[in-house]
Amino acid sequence: MTEPIPTDPEKQIAAVSTDDEVSSLGKGDILQQEHVDPVLTAKIHLVNNAIDEIGFTGYHWKLFILNGFGYAVDSLILLIQSIIAGQAALEFHPSYKNGLTIAAYVGMLTGAIFWGLSADIVGRKFAFNVSLVVCSIFAIAAGASPTWEVLGLFVALSSFGGGGNLVLDTTVFLEYLPGSRQWMLTLMAAWWGIGQLVAGFLAWAFIPNFSCSDPSLIPSAAPCTYTNNKGWRYVWYTSGTLVFVMSIARITIIRLQETPKFLVSEGRDAECVATLQAIATKHNRPCTLTLATMTAAGTLSRPPRPLGWKAKFSLAEISPHLNGLFSTRRIATSTALIWLSWLLIGLAYPLYNVFLPAYLASRGAVFGQTDAHVTWRNYALVNFSGIWGPVLAAGLGRWKALGRKGTMVVGAGGTAVFFFAYTAVRSERENVGLACAGNFWGNVYYGTLYAYTPEVLPSAHRGTGNGLAVSGNRVMGILSAVIATVADTSTPVPIYICAALYVVMAGVAAVFPFEPYGKRSS
């Protein structure tokens, strides 16, 4: 039995837990020493104590799964467009074959910014409930596209809906998590790999069986038309339907309330306390936090909030969230380095993963293997390996000697090693094996960065900071598509570039100013 949590704010701050990851209740919050807003800092600390007092419940498992759906959708939509682009191009004969990749990243760029800002300005609940519905509708519509341009439009709109989920899912899950379970934020990135795997299986199932042949490779092949080239459409129909089912599950199963930390940052203390008390009551857990305790911590000074969506997204409303990301020297340094990391991986990851089908196919041809079934089987195997990177990362991040920063160094370094080794493959087995290893270690880094970013951002500005970080990632994804247009992605050159970028990422991770291990998000 743990001792009951004292109701006095000062005694709460001094309380110490005996939880599994060094400490939880009463331990210092990550940004507690930054002295940005003492009243908000005190209130966030009280909320953290209450969340720790309630502990991990079935509600958190639901959040883990339903927020994980968003992770899976982000990777699913991104890879689907790259998987079907070749077959769709045979049917539509576009003048710019990498247009779908740019469309997807433009949609994800605008989605990350819009949903990220809305998370801080309107609330987490709206984006959580709406984003996947938007994504699913346009994903299904993409399968019925009559032209390349319409397909690009639907890809962009579907990506807009799915593009904010990396921002929202981590934020929502983190802001309900007990401090000792924050490592699960890294584990949740395994859903990204699941989305990749689903994309690989859909490609394996539909592309080889329901697609026309490339006339440039098989001169006797019939021209590609709507009738003989429906495989890529089936991929969109299936993935869109799957996303729609996920979106309905998110709305109906959990009935999400606004997160406690968002409510506190908005000065809505009574709603915050009510939300936490409701969770505690439903799961028969203690929660000694009261409105009187919150009120005793002080009152936030807030200007009158604007009415209407146009006013809410005005520069005057957005500026405080931008300024909050640079409110102290350490926070500013942290924000800048996080954004740099997302820019770097935004270039490295697409060059390797989005264009991997072309590279695998070219290596298969070198080894005398040109069967489409085997190519897409290999693609599925590579994606399957990516699921387990975040699982290892979650374990390494709980090791005091490494923490989150050390895990990112190990993940980025391991990825660089296997990427460099990839260029020396001499057999089909080496080809697939090293591709799997590279994807595994890449997701060790990526999964940890996913979790680290919201962990060290201030709660009041978490959606904005996270959204801009992910949007920078998308900008570099667009750049990678341009690079792929002028470069030969069937050569090892993109692999060398990616390996070098991961070395830089490891160095950046090593100098991050904050280490979340043993502390709680602010």
Side-chain angles (χ1 to χ4, degrees):
M1 291 289 292
T2 57
E3 293 297 323
I5 285 68
T7 57
D8 181 87
E10 295 300 323
K11 292 182 179 179
Q12 280 196 337
I13 292 175
V16 177
S17 156
T18 57
D19 216 324
D20 59 343
E21 188 179 303
V22 180
S23 68
S24 182
L25 182 62
K27 189 70 174 182
D29 302 331
I30 295 172
L31 304 180
Q32 189 171 340
Q33 302 303 316
E34 295 304 302
H35 307 296
V36 177
D37 185 334
V39 174
L40 181 58
T41 299
K43 288 177 180 286
I44 291 293
H45 194 86
L46 293 172
V47 170
N48 277 338
N49 284 351
I51 292 174
D52 287 340
E53 183 184 10
I54 295 170
F56 196 80
T57 68
Y59 183 77
H60 296 92
W61 278 118
K62 290 180 181 179
L63 282 174
F64 178 79
I65 294 171
L66 296 176
N67 281 287
F69 285 170
Y71 260 50
V73 167
D74 187 280
S75 62
L76 175 68
I77 296 300
L78 181 60
L79 289 190
I80 287 297
Q81 64 80 22
S82 70
I83 286 169
I84 64 92
Q87 287 302 134
L90 291 176
E91 183 177 334
F92 295 131
H93 307 289
S95 58
Y96 190 66
K97 292 188 176 182
N98 284 331
L100 290 190
T101 298
I102 293 179
Y105 275 104
V106 167
M108 289 191 167
L109 166 64
T110 54
I113 295 174
F114 175 79
W115 299 114
L117 290 174
S118 71
D120 285 341
I121 296 172
V122 180
R124 286 42 162 158
K125 179 181 177 179
F126 170 78
F128 182 86
N129 289 337
V130 174
S131 59
L132 286 192
V133 177
V134 173
C135 178
S136 64
I137 291 172
F138 290 110
I140 294 172
S145 300
T147 66
W148 181 259
E149 291 75 18
V150 172
L151 176 59
L153 174 63
F154 286 145
V155 167
L157 292 172
S158 179
S159 299
F160 169 79
N165 279 279
L166 290 186
V167 180
L168 265 299
D169 295 328
T170 52
T171 297
V172 170
F173 190 47
L174 174 65
E175 294 188 354
Y176 277 105
L177 266 182
S180 62
R181 291 292 191 116
Q182 283 181 198
W183 58 269
M184 291 188 69
L185 200 62
T186 301
L187 179 63
M188 197 170 72
W191 284 96
W192 171 272
I194 292 174
Q196 290 178 317
L197 181 63
V198 170
F201 278 138
L202 290 178
W204 191 6
F206 292 118
I207 299 297
N209 297 313
F210 301 98
S211 299
C212 62
S213 299
D214 188 345
S216 66
L217 299 177
I218 304 176
S220 61
C224 288
T225 64
Y226 173 86
T227 303
N228 68 357
N229 193 38
K230 291 186 178 181
W232 69 268
R233 298 180 185 272
Y234 294 155
V235 171
W236 274 118
Y237 291 144
T238 306
S239 59
T241 302
L242 180 61
V243 176
F244 182 74
V245 172
M246 291 179 180
S247 67
I248 297 302
R250 297 226 299 195
I251 296 171
T252 58
I253 292 178
I254 202 159
R255 299 183 183 276
L256 182 76
Q257 301 300 312
E258 288 293 358
T259 66
K261 292 181 181 179
F262 172 78
L263 293 172
V264 167
S265 67
E266 292 290 295
R268 296 155 63 180
D269 293 353
E271 293 176 64
C272 169
V273 173
T275 298
L276 292 172
Q277 290 285 359
I279 295 173
T281 300
K282 182 175 181 179
H283 297 278
N284 196 27
R285 300 293 179 87
C287 181
T288 56
L289 182 66
T290 65
L291 181 57
T293 305
M294 294 289 285
T295 303
T299 303
L300 297 178
S301 57
R302 290 283 178 185
R305 305 306 299 272
L307 299 175
W309 278 77
K310 184 176 181 180
K312 284 180 179 292
F313 282 87
S314 65
L315 183 60
E317 183 70 8
I318 295 172
S319 293
H321 294 295
L322 294 174
N323 295 335
L325 298 170
F326 298 89
S327 52
T328 70
R329 179 174 294 182
R330 292 184 76 206
I331 291 177
T333 301
S334 176
T335 299
L337 291 178
I338 287 172
W339 288 357
L340 174 61
S341 298
W342 280 95
L343 287 171
L344 292 172
I345 200 169
L347 180 60
Y349 194 83
L351 280 177
Y352 172 72
N353 234 343
V354 174
F355 302 107
L356 185 60
Y359 188 74
L360 283 177
S362 70
R363 300 303 290 181
V366 170
F367 303 137
Q369 193 295 107
T370 58
D371 188 343
H373 282 277
V374 177
T375 297
W376 293 110
R377 178 208 66 188
N378 293 348
Y379 191 54
L381 288 174
V382 172
N383 290 330
F384 177 73
S385 69
I387 296 174
W388 309 105
V391 176
L392 175 63
L396 293 178
R398 300 181 70 192
W399 187 17
K400 187 176 182 179
L402 285 178
R404 294 0 173 213
K405 291 167 56 177
T407 300
M408 282 187 278
V409 172
V410 170
T415 306
V417 169
F418 283 106
F419 276 16
F420 279 125
Y422 200 114
T423 61
V425 294
R426 294 293 181 269
S427 70
E428 177 65 16
R429 289 184 178 180
E430 290 178 359
N431 173 37
V432 178
L434 286 175
C436 289
N439 200 37
F440 172 85
W441 285 104
N443 279 6
V444 169
Y445 173 84
Y446 219 158
T448 310
L449 183 64
Y450 281 147
Y452 180 89
T453 300
E455 272 190 297
V456 301
L457 290 172
S459 60
H461 319 297
R462 183 169 286 136
T464 301
N466 209 357
L468 291 175
V470 174
S471 65
N473 177 278
R474 307 314 190 190
V475 169
M476 298 307 286
I478 296 171
L479 179 60
S480 72
V482 176
I483 293 173
T485 302
V486 298
D488 185 356
T489 56
S490 65
T491 72
V493 174
I495 307 300
Y496 282 124
I497 296 173
C498 293
L501 289 173
Y502 273 99
V503 172
V504 177
M505 287 180 234
V508 172
V511 297
F512 280 145
F514 298 113
E515 170 53 63
Y517 175 86
K519 297 180 181 179
R520 306 179 305 188
S521 65
S522 296

